[in-house]
Amino acid sequence: EAEVAQSPRYKITEKSQAVAFWCDPISGHATLYWYRQILGQGPELLVQFQDESVVDDSQLPKDRFSAERLKGVDSTLKIQPAELGDSAMYLCASSLGRTANEKLFFGSGTQLSVL
Amino acid sequence: DQQVKQNSPSLSVQEGRISILNCDYTNSMFDYFLWYKKYPAEGPTFLISISSIKDKNEDGRFTVFLNKSAKHLSLHIVPSQPGDSAVYFCAASARQGAQKLVFGQGTRLTINP
């Protein structure tokens, strides 16, 4: 069964450093999402791409976070500089269609620890 | 502004019995609801969904009930099995306007042998 691939699985960094996460969605999925999940809370949408275009980044802290999906396939999420409060699980998901309310397929996530 | 709430952080159930997980929402525009299951160190996996035109959807051991007037939905698992031990997230969206999926805080279900 096709899966959403994410790397790395774990990342430890010091505050003020730069970090980057990579995601490869299920082939053919038009929509890609980056979620952040803080322990004890539900996933929160950071950014949504439809093909290569951003359709929702209202919750993305744009002063330090950036995301791109240049060819409409894989995507990179970057944080620069990282802060202690960024420690969380970063989840990538994809869906076949172009709406935000379909069944999402999630990757295994990147667990970020900022020291 | 927590639009989707799961008020029970944890639930413990004996193997073979019924597990009932609850979810409340505040946005009356929500018309599509999903349940996701998450094991530690893994991403959430889709479990079951329901549209607001229905009040029940069943898939094997899993049944979701929707009470629109109360803005409440529940997930029933029967019989509960040890492999059901996980965190369960309720999620909701409004199809009109293609609004984003909003997740609850999750309920940790533990099935005891």
Side-chain angles (χ1 to χ4, degrees):
Chain A
E1 184 177 275
E3 294 182 344
V4 175
Q6 285 190 251
S7 66
R9 287 296 302 273
Y10 304 93
K11 180 69 178 178
I12 300 174
T13 190
E14 294 184 346
K15 65 178 182 178
S16 79
Q17 296 298 303
V19 291
F21 314 130
W22 176 81
C23 172
D24 191 12
I26 294 173
S27 178
H29 279 198
T31 310
L32 183 147
Y33 313 79
W34 283 102
Y35 280 84
R36 177 172 60 186
Q37 189 200 352
I38 296 170
L39 195 62
Q41 299 181 21
E44 177 189 28
L45 181 68
L46 292 175
V47 61
Q48 177 192 343
F49 289 92
Q50 182 176 304
D51 300 312
E52 67 276 6
S53 301
V54 173
V55 295
D56 187 345
D57 63 356
S58 57
Q59 299 303 310
L60 188 72
K62 298 181 189 62
D63 57 335
R64 297 185 300 107
F65 286 64
S66 64
E68 60 182 16
R69 191 185 184 198
L70 291 176
K71 296 181 180 178
V73 181
D74 59 339
S75 175
T76 302
L77 178 69
K78 297 179 181 177
I79 308 175
Q80 182 173 18
E83 295 181 352
L84 296 177
D86 296 331
S87 294
M89 170 78 84
Y90 290 82
L91 294 161
C92 179
S94 68
S95 64
L96 183 63
R98 289 174 164 76
T99 62
N101 43 37
E102 298 186 359
K103 185 171 81 172
L104 305 186
F105 295 84
F106 284 87
S108 297
T110 296
Q111 183 66 53
L112 174 66
S113 296
V114 182
L115 307 177
Chain B
D1 177 22
Q2 190 74 28
Q3 297 187 69
V4 179
K5 298 181 183 180
Q6 294 176 256
N7 291 317
S8 298
S10 63
L11 176 67
S12 186
V13 174
Q14 194 170 2
E15 182 179 359
R17 306 295 287 268
I18 184 170
S19 296
I20 300 176
L21 296 95
N22 294 303
C23 177
D24 297 295
Y25 61 96
T26 58
N27 189 338
S28 57
M29 297 298 292
F30 286 153
D31 58 4
Y32 186 57
F33 306 88
L34 307 91
W35 284 93
Y36 281 83
K37 174 181 179 180
K38 185 181 184 302
Y39 292 120
E42 294 185 14
T45 55
F46 170 79
L47 197 55
I48 193 169
S49 64
I50 188 167
S51 166
S52 60
I53 62 173
K54 294 185 175 181
D55 55 18
K56 176 183 174 181
N57 189 27
E58 190 172 354
D59 184 2
R61 297 185 298 113
F62 303 91
T63 303
V64 56
F65 294 92
L66 175 62
N67 183 334
K68 291 184 288 293
S69 60
K71 293 191 180 68
H72 176 84
L73 65 156
S74 61
L75 174 68
H76 293 210
I77 306 173
V78 56
S80 300
Q81 299 175 354
D84 296 330
S85 295
V87 177
Y88 289 79
F89 291 101
C90 169
S93 70
R95 285 184 166 168
Q96 188 139 13
Q99 292 190 25
K100 64 186 179 186
L101 206 56
V102 179
F103 285 83
Q105 312 96 306
T107 296
R108 181 178 299 278
L109 175 65
T110 302
I111 306 301
N112 302 307

